[in-house]
Amino acid sequence: MLTVIRLTLNQESALYGVQEFPVLGWEIASHNRNVRQTAYRIQISQDQGFDKILFRGEWQDSEYSNNVTLNEFTLISSQHYFIRVQIRDNYGDTSAWSSPAEMISGVLYPREWLADFITVETPADKDNSRATLLRKSFVLNRAADIQSAFIHVSALGLYECHLNGCKVGEDSLTPGWTSYHNHLLYQTYEVTGHLKKGENVLGAILGAGWYKGDMGFSRHRNYYGERSALISQLMINYKDGSREIVVSDESWKGYDSAILFSEIYDGEIYDARRETPGWCAQGFAEDGWRPVSVVAHEKSTLVAQGSNTVRKMGEIKPVALITTPQGDTVIDFGQNLSGWVAFRASGKAGDKVVLRHFEVLDAQGNVYLDNLRTARQRTEYVLKGEAEETWHPHFTWQGFRFVKVEQYPAPLDLNNFTAIVLHSSMEQTGHFACSDPALNQLHHNILWGLKGNFVDVPTDCPQRDERLGWTGDAQIFCRTASYLMQTRNFFAKWLTDLRYDQTPEGGVPHVVPDILTGYCGKDRLLSEGGTHSASAWADAAVINPWTMYLMYGDTQVLENQYASMKGWIDFMTVHAENHLWHYKLQFGDWVALDAKEGSYFGATPDDLTCTAYYAYSTQLFAKAAKALNRTEDYQHYDALHQAIVRRFQEEFFTPSGRLAARTQTAHILALYFNLVPDAFRQRTTDTLVELLNEHDGHLVTGFVGTPYFCHALSQNGRNKEAWSLLLKDDFPSWLYQVKAGATTVWEHWDGIKPDGSMWSADMNSFNHYAYGAVGEWLYRVAAGIEADEEQPGFKHAIIRPQTGGGLSWLDTRYQSIYGAIGVRWEVNGQKVKLCVCIPANTSATLILTDGQHVEAADGIDFVRCTDGYTAEVGSGEYRIEYRLV
């Protein structure tokens, strides 16, 4: 039976706010093998039952079932749409119509924004961290005739939208953090069932957030503006085709909220005694409420955010109540996370609940706050004294596993506390399990490192006075993240800000959004070296879009970022001398263990690292140009790439084949970026293994070398060494952290040293995903699920599992845009049982590495190859048994 089991819009199940028609995709199920779609047709309706069809697509003879564009349909602002698809396959079967996917259109053109940005703050409030209330009462006489109603809302700062006494939507920390002067997201919510005949009330709570709050390790504020402001446009569609619009304007009123203080790093203070009951309900008297004023902001910057908003993604209950040796009361939630603590409390008016959030206990079991630097991570709630009260913060979040209870008005009951997990809403796509519990925990830690740091932007860490979108961290982790979660739209949003924040010359900031430029006078490193264009960091401009193309097969991200990608390559070219590139401040192999004592900079020379990345990014950009059929650019940058490679080889290899820089990272980059002359590849690989053995099989790499270490080994016939490196469990290693009880990935290999002491407190995050980049090796190599850049998005996959490490079994599933790709292998002596699942309408090259003899082929025609056996397979599930060499 042929079925369309899921229809997606921009790879999402639904979009709530779009400004252009999304790309469509669908997942196909069939009991047959080798299933290929032969045709499809699409319908669009304004109702879920498809009684009023707006678009009846004709049958299209096509195998495309993802990244399908529909240019012949025109959207109208503030409308509900339902889309469905029907398909045929190569067996002559025709599916039923799919279940519909839904979307809501946003405000399609800047001229349609009739609302203004409004605030009750004055210029004197620029240093004020208090939240404010806004409200607007309006009357509806035709509520029974409403067909649909949608509100489009955003803010300069952070907002919560309310309607008739209830919060609208489930999102938090909206509208998120962007390059506000160029790119401001707004959210769209359906409110049809929440409007009433007669008086209705719109309201909002506004906080400082990233826009005007205290941000960055230099602790400046007002980076983008000095007053928080709201823009809101309620669109009411009536059954007769008419419309009514309620906008934010000077008719609104404002007041002070019970949130006395709220900052990203420092937490929130809430005095429930100062609440204004019924402030967003009918019949409220606005006595003492103040007039609002209009804030100037360019409305053309407003862009609909249809998905990936930050929201509550889980709850965690405490696992222990601890009294430390110093006498502090501490709640242990058992998992390092990003979010906040929700609690219940009873007491008299004026009693307080005060919580301090932190990551680890020190060697003596006491509260450790030093690594937070100046971030307070403190929440304070003042009770109003009315029965049981419940609360959680509004415009802040914390990175923590532990909570120190500084005040609580009653005997402590763990049942009254819950950790709320916050991160950008993304579908989990990667699932991994194996026979080694420590490796399973490492995968868990990598996944939770993503969750903790993908809070609207890909932050470096979620706890200290930083939480910035460091481009290097995001670049390093991008491929791993895209196996673990569906990151297409998350990264597309962030890359848009990267594009806007690039320098006119094409330089790429160290952090995006960029709040370092102009604010680093007290930081010697950045004030002297500059705030943009560091190798491996700035290369996010090219590597991340290319990764999105590989993983999702969508040329849209390449089109959107093409000028940005080209700008970065051209920037390097301008500043290169005879194809060797180096520019101002370079982080190099950041925090590598081969750094000099007291230094963050690894031993690998910057000119080698810079030129290696110059070659790699230029190659990827040439491939992007080819994918977009930009032939002239492809030819130019492909030739440039070859010239850079030749120059790298001349500069860094001796005539006998010795790589001049004798570091692990130098050899890793040369191998993984294909910079090694063919005649010297074996020697370079052997030397890398020698360097590994010099440290008893341990790595000493930092941010640049670590992500590619296992790849450099396994791609060059050293699979055994790659597995051995991965499974080391003494310092320094990934599993050393696991043995130390980590539940996320650390910033430093020795964040907690073997003797229990801490690495330097100035930079010691215990939730820092960069070294979690090894996760992609688990999927791409151990499970062998690899994308084919000639048919990206896993339209054609390369399945080449590499057993090893003493594992008896491994079971992995990756939910590609076409469906689940599954690989499970079991090893018993020299015998391997392999189960592979290939989604419908895709194919795969299956390679049995080190296969000596195929004992059960399940109908597959294997042929001998240099690696063992290979075969081309279509969709279906296959069970193979073979013996290893």
Side-chain angles (χ1 to χ4, degrees), residues 486-503:
Q486 193 278 93
T487 62
R488 175 195 183 270
N489 300 317
F490 177 86
F491 275 121
K493 174 251 188 189
W494 182 74
L495 286 167
T496 298
D497 294 309
L498 185 151
R499 181 174 81 234
Y500 280 124
D501 283 352
Q502 269 181 275
T503 72

PDB file of all heavy atoms in Angstrom, residues 486-503:
ATOM      1  N   GLN A 486      16.459  18.656  13.516  1.00  0.00           N
ATOM      2  CA  GLN A 486      16.178  19.289  12.235  1.00  0.00           C
ATOM      3  C   GLN A 486      16.526  20.763  12.387  1.00  0.00           C
ATOM      4  O   GLN A 486      15.771  21.536  12.978  1.00  0.00           O
ATOM      5  CB  GLN A 486      14.700  19.101  11.886  1.00  0.00           C
ATOM      6  CG  GLN A 486      14.347  19.448  10.445  1.00  0.00           C
ATOM      7  CD  GLN A 486      14.145  20.929  10.218  1.00  0.00           C
ATOM      8  OE1 GLN A 486      15.085  21.627   9.843  1.00  0.00           O
ATOM      9  NE2 GLN A 486      12.937  21.417  10.442  1.00  0.00           N
ATOM     10  N   THR A 487      17.670  21.154  11.868  1.00  0.00           N
ATOM     11  CA  THR A 487      18.209  22.489  12.118  1.00  0.00           C
ATOM     12  C   THR A 487      18.085  23.440  10.930  1.00  0.00           C
ATOM     13  O   THR A 487      18.612  24.555  10.969  1.00  0.00           O
ATOM     14  CB  THR A 487      19.702  22.400  12.496  1.00  0.00           C
ATOM     15  OG1 THR A 487      20.429  21.843  11.386  1.00  0.00           O
ATOM     16  CG2 THR A 487      19.913  21.533  13.734  1.00  0.00           C
ATOM     17  N   ARG A 488      17.421  23.019   9.876  1.00  0.00           N
ATOM     18  CA  ARG A 488      17.374  23.839   8.658  1.00  0.00           C
ATOM     19  C   ARG A 488      16.948  25.272   8.947  1.00  0.00           C
ATOM     20  O   ARG A 488      17.613  26.231   8.550  1.00  0.00           O
ATOM     21  CB  ARG A 488      16.408  23.217   7.649  1.00  0.00           C
ATOM     22  CG  ARG A 488      16.189  24.067   6.391  1.00  0.00           C
ATOM     23  CD  ARG A 488      14.972  23.581   5.619  1.00  0.00           C
ATOM     24  NE  ARG A 488      14.765  24.300   4.378  1.00  0.00           N
ATOM     25  CZ  ARG A 488      14.033  25.406   4.261  1.00  0.00           C
ATOM     26  NH1 ARG A 488      13.467  25.953   5.339  1.00  0.00           N
ATOM     27  NH2 ARG A 488      13.867  25.982   3.088  1.00  0.00           N
ATOM     28  N   ASN A 489      15.832  25.453   9.627  1.00  0.00           N
ATOM     29  CA  ASN A 489      15.295  26.791   9.834  1.00  0.00           C
ATOM     30  C   ASN A 489      16.019  27.531  10.962  1.00  0.00           C
ATOM     31  O   ASN A 489      16.137  28.755  10.924  1.00  0.00           O
ATOM     32  CB  ASN A 489      13.798  26.698  10.110  1.00  0.00           C
ATOM     33  CG  ASN A 489      13.063  26.055   8.950  1.00  0.00           C
ATOM     34  OD1 ASN A 489      13.320  26.350   7.789  1.00  0.00           O
ATOM     35  ND2 ASN A 489      12.175  25.125   9.250  1.00  0.00           N
ATOM     36  N   PHE A 490      16.501  26.779  11.937  1.00  0.00           N
ATOM     37  CA  PHE A 490      17.264  27.391  13.018  1.00  0.00           C
ATOM     38  C   PHE A 490      18.515  28.066  12.466  1.00  0.00           C
ATOM     39  O   PHE A 490      18.797  29.227  12.750  1.00  0.00           O
ATOM     40  CB  PHE A 490      17.634  26.323  14.050  1.00  0.00           C
ATOM     41  CG  PHE A 490      18.491  26.826  15.181  1.00  0.00           C
ATOM     42  CD1 PHE A 490      17.913  27.397  16.296  1.00  0.00           C
ATOM     43  CD2 PHE A 490      19.869  26.719  15.122  1.00  0.00           C
ATOM     44  CE1 PHE A 490      18.701  27.874  17.340  1.00  0.00           C
ATOM     45  CE2 PHE A 490      20.669  27.187  16.151  1.00  0.00           C
ATOM     46  CZ  PHE A 490      20.073  27.772  17.274  1.00  0.00           C
ATOM     47  N   PHE A 491      19.269  27.330  11.659  1.00  0.00           N
ATOM     48  CA  PHE A 491      20.495  27.906  11.111  1.00  0.00           C
ATOM     49  C   PHE A 491      20.200  28.940  10.031  1.00  0.00           C
ATOM     50  O   PHE A 491      20.957  29.911   9.872  1.00  0.00           O
ATOM     51  CB  PHE A 491      21.413  26.813  10.578  1.00  0.00           C
ATOM     52  CG  PHE A 491      22.291  26.201  11.629  1.00  0.00           C
ATOM     53  CD1 PHE A 491      22.229  24.845  11.902  1.00  0.00           C
ATOM     54  CD2 PHE A 491      23.171  26.970  12.359  1.00  0.00           C
ATOM     55  CE1 PHE A 491      23.030  24.267  12.876  1.00  0.00           C
ATOM     56  CE2 PHE A 491      23.979  26.409  13.340  1.00  0.00           C
ATOM     57  CZ  PHE A 491      23.916  25.054  13.595  1.00  0.00           C
ATOM     58  N   ALA A 492      19.116  28.769   9.273  1.00  0.00           N
ATOM     59  CA  ALA A 492      18.778  29.768   8.250  1.00  0.00           C
ATOM     60  C   ALA A 492      18.542  31.122   8.899  1.00  0.00           C
ATOM     61  O   ALA A 492      18.973  32.166   8.373  1.00  0.00           O
ATOM     62  CB  ALA A 492      17.546  29.325   7.474  1.00  0.00           C
ATOM     63  N   LYS A 493      17.878  31.127  10.042  1.00  0.00           N
ATOM     64  CA  LYS A 493      17.630  32.379  10.767  1.00  0.00           C
ATOM     65  C   LYS A 493      18.937  33.002  11.224  1.00  0.00           C
ATOM     66  O   LYS A 493      19.186  34.194  11.047  1.00  0.00           O
ATOM     67  CB  LYS A 493      16.699  32.088  11.941  1.00  0.00           C
ATOM     68  CG  LYS A 493      16.453  33.250  12.874  1.00  0.00           C
ATOM     69  CD  LYS A 493      17.148  33.035  14.201  1.00  0.00           C
ATOM     70  CE  LYS A 493      16.762  34.095  15.212  1.00  0.00           C
ATOM     71  NZ  LYS A 493      17.581  34.039  16.435  1.00  0.00           N
ATOM     72  N   TRP A 494      19.807  32.187  11.831  1.00  0.00           N
ATOM     73  CA  TRP A 494      21.077  32.703  12.353  1.00  0.00           C
ATOM     74  C   TRP A 494      21.996  33.152  11.223  1.00  0.00           C
ATOM     75  O   TRP A 494      22.677  34.184  11.334  1.00  0.00           O
ATOM     76  CB  TRP A 494      21.737  31.619  13.203  1.00  0.00           C
ATOM     77  CG  TRP A 494      23.028  32.018  13.838  1.00  0.00           C
ATOM     78  CD1 TRP A 494      23.202  32.851  14.901  1.00  0.00           C
ATOM     79  CD2 TRP A 494      24.340  31.592  13.445  1.00  0.00           C
ATOM     80  NE1 TRP A 494      24.546  32.964  15.205  1.00  0.00           N
ATOM     81  CE2 TRP A 494      25.267  32.204  14.333  1.00  0.00           C
ATOM     82  CE3 TRP A 494      24.823  30.741  12.453  1.00  0.00           C
ATOM     83  CZ2 TRP A 494      26.637  31.996  14.240  1.00  0.00           C
ATOM     84  CZ3 TRP A 494      26.188  30.542  12.356  1.00  0.00           C
ATOM     85  CH2 TRP A 494      27.084  31.153  13.248  1.00  0.00           C
ATOM     86  N   LEU A 495      22.020  32.419  10.126  1.00  0.00           N
ATOM     87  CA  LEU A 495      22.868  32.795   8.992  1.00  0.00           C
ATOM     88  C   LEU A 495      22.409  34.098   8.352  1.00  0.00           C
ATOM     89  O   LEU A 495      23.222  34.848   7.800  1.00  0.00           O
ATOM     90  CB  LEU A 495      22.893  31.670   7.961  1.00  0.00           C
ATOM     91  CG  LEU A 495      23.724  30.441   8.345  1.00  0.00           C
ATOM     92  CD1 LEU A 495      23.424  29.268   7.420  1.00  0.00           C
ATOM     93  CD2 LEU A 495      25.221  30.765   8.329  1.00  0.00           C
ATOM     94  N   THR A 496      21.112  34.380   8.426  1.00  0.00           N
ATOM     95  CA  THR A 496      20.631  35.675   7.947  1.00  0.00           C
ATOM     96  C   THR A 496      21.288  36.808   8.724  1.00  0.00           C
ATOM     97  O   THR A 496      21.714  37.819   8.161  1.00  0.00           O
ATOM     98  CB  THR A 496      19.102  35.756   8.083  1.00  0.00           C
ATOM     99  OG1 THR A 496      18.503  34.737   7.271  1.00  0.00           O
ATOM    100  CG2 THR A 496      18.576  37.115   7.641  1.00  0.00           C
ATOM    101  N   ASP A 497      21.407  36.635  10.045  1.00  0.00           N
ATOM    102  CA  ASP A 497      22.065  37.653  10.862  1.00  0.00           C
ATOM    103  C   ASP A 497      23.563  37.712  10.584  1.00  0.00           C
ATOM    104  O   ASP A 497      24.160  38.797  10.609  1.00  0.00           O
ATOM    105  CB  ASP A 497      21.807  37.375  12.345  1.00  0.00           C
ATOM    106  CG  ASP A 497      20.346  37.543  12.696  1.00  0.00           C
ATOM    107  OD1 ASP A 497      19.782  38.590  12.349  1.00  0.00           O
ATOM    108  OD2 ASP A 497      19.763  36.630  13.295  1.00  0.00           O
ATOM    109  N   LEU A 498      24.167  36.565  10.322  1.00  0.00           N
ATOM    110  CA  LEU A 498      25.584  36.564   9.939  1.00  0.00           C
ATOM    111  C   LEU A 498      25.774  37.405   8.684  1.00  0.00           C
ATOM    112  O   LEU A 498      26.699  38.218   8.596  1.00  0.00           O
ATOM    113  CB  LEU A 498      26.059  35.132   9.723  1.00  0.00           C
ATOM    114  CG  LEU A 498      27.550  34.925   9.419  1.00  0.00           C
ATOM    115  CD1 LEU A 498      28.014  33.552   9.913  1.00  0.00           C
ATOM    116  CD2 LEU A 498      27.865  35.032   7.924  1.00  0.00           C
ATOM    117  N   ARG A 499      24.886  37.222   7.733  1.00  0.00           N
ATOM    118  CA  ARG A 499      24.962  37.981   6.478  1.00  0.00           C
ATOM    119  C   ARG A 499      24.841  39.484   6.738  1.00  0.00           C
ATOM    120  O   ARG A 499      25.602  40.296   6.194  1.00  0.00           O
ATOM    121  CB  ARG A 499      23.847  37.504   5.551  1.00  0.00           C
ATOM    122  CG  ARG A 499      23.816  38.173   4.201  1.00  0.00           C
ATOM    123  CD  ARG A 499      22.769  37.536   3.309  1.00  0.00           C
ATOM    124  NE  ARG A 499      21.422  38.013   3.572  1.00  0.00           N
ATOM    125  CZ  ARG A 499      20.385  37.238   3.849  1.00  0.00           C
ATOM    126  NH1 ARG A 499      20.537  35.922   3.940  1.00  0.00           N
ATOM    127  NH2 ARG A 499      19.195  37.751   4.034  1.00  0.00           N
ATOM    128  N   TYR A 500      23.894  39.860   7.571  1.00  0.00           N
ATOM    129  CA  TYR A 500      23.689  41.276   7.849  1.00  0.00           C
ATOM    130  C   TYR A 500      24.843  41.888   8.648  1.00  0.00           C
ATOM    131  O   TYR A 500      25.172  43.061   8.480  1.00  0.00           O
ATOM    132  CB  TYR A 500      22.386  41.491   8.614  1.00  0.00           C
ATOM    133  CG  TYR A 500      21.151  41.473   7.749  1.00  0.00           C
ATOM    134  CD1 TYR A 500      20.101  40.598   8.004  1.00  0.00           C
ATOM    135  CD2 TYR A 500      21.035  42.343   6.660  1.00  0.00           C
ATOM    136  CE1 TYR A 500      18.962  40.583   7.217  1.00  0.00           C
ATOM    137  CE2 TYR A 500      19.897  42.330   5.858  1.00  0.00           C
ATOM    138  CZ  TYR A 500      18.866  41.454   6.139  1.00  0.00           C
ATOM    139  OH  TYR A 500      17.749  41.449   5.343  1.00  0.00           O
ATOM    140  N   ASP A 501      25.460  41.095   9.518  1.00  0.00           N
ATOM    141  CA  ASP A 501      26.504  41.628  10.392  1.00  0.00           C
ATOM    142  C   ASP A 501      27.899  41.551   9.790  1.00  0.00           C
ATOM    143  O   ASP A 501      28.868  41.987  10.421  1.00  0.00           O
ATOM    144  CB  ASP A 501      26.481  40.906  11.746  1.00  0.00           C
ATOM    145  CG  ASP A 501      25.343  41.390  12.634  1.00  0.00           C
ATOM    146  OD1 ASP A 501      24.685  42.381  12.262  1.00  0.00           O
ATOM    147  OD2 ASP A 501      25.107  40.784  13.695  1.00  0.00           O
ATOM    148  N   GLN A 502      28.030  40.998   8.581  1.00  0.00           N
ATOM    149  CA  GLN A 502      29.330  41.009   7.915  1.00  0.00           C
ATOM    150  C   GLN A 502      29.793  42.435   7.663  1.00  0.00           C
ATOM    151  O   GLN A 502      28.969  43.348   7.487  1.00  0.00           O
ATOM    152  CB  GLN A 502      29.261  40.262   6.576  1.00  0.00           C
ATOM    153  CG  GLN A 502      29.588  38.780   6.680  1.00  0.00           C
ATOM    154  CD  GLN A 502      29.545  38.067   5.350  1.00  0.00           C
ATOM    155  OE1 GLN A 502      28.483  37.644   4.924  1.00  0.00           O
ATOM    156  NE2 GLN A 502      30.687  37.930   4.696  1.00  0.00           N
ATOM    157  N   THR A 503      31.099  42.622   7.653  1.00  0.00           N
ATOM    158  CA  THR A 503      31.644  43.942   7.328  1.00  0.00           C
ATOM    159  C   THR A 503      31.440  44.219   5.839  1.00  0.00           C
ATOM    160  O   THR A 503      31.255  43.289   5.041  1.00  0.00           O
ATOM    161  CB  THR A 503      33.137  44.008   7.660  1.00  0.00           C
ATOM    162  OG1 THR A 503      33.860  43.217   6.711  1.00  0.00           O
ATOM    163  CG2 THR A 503      33.417  43.523   9.076  1.00  0.00           C
TER     164      THR A 503
END
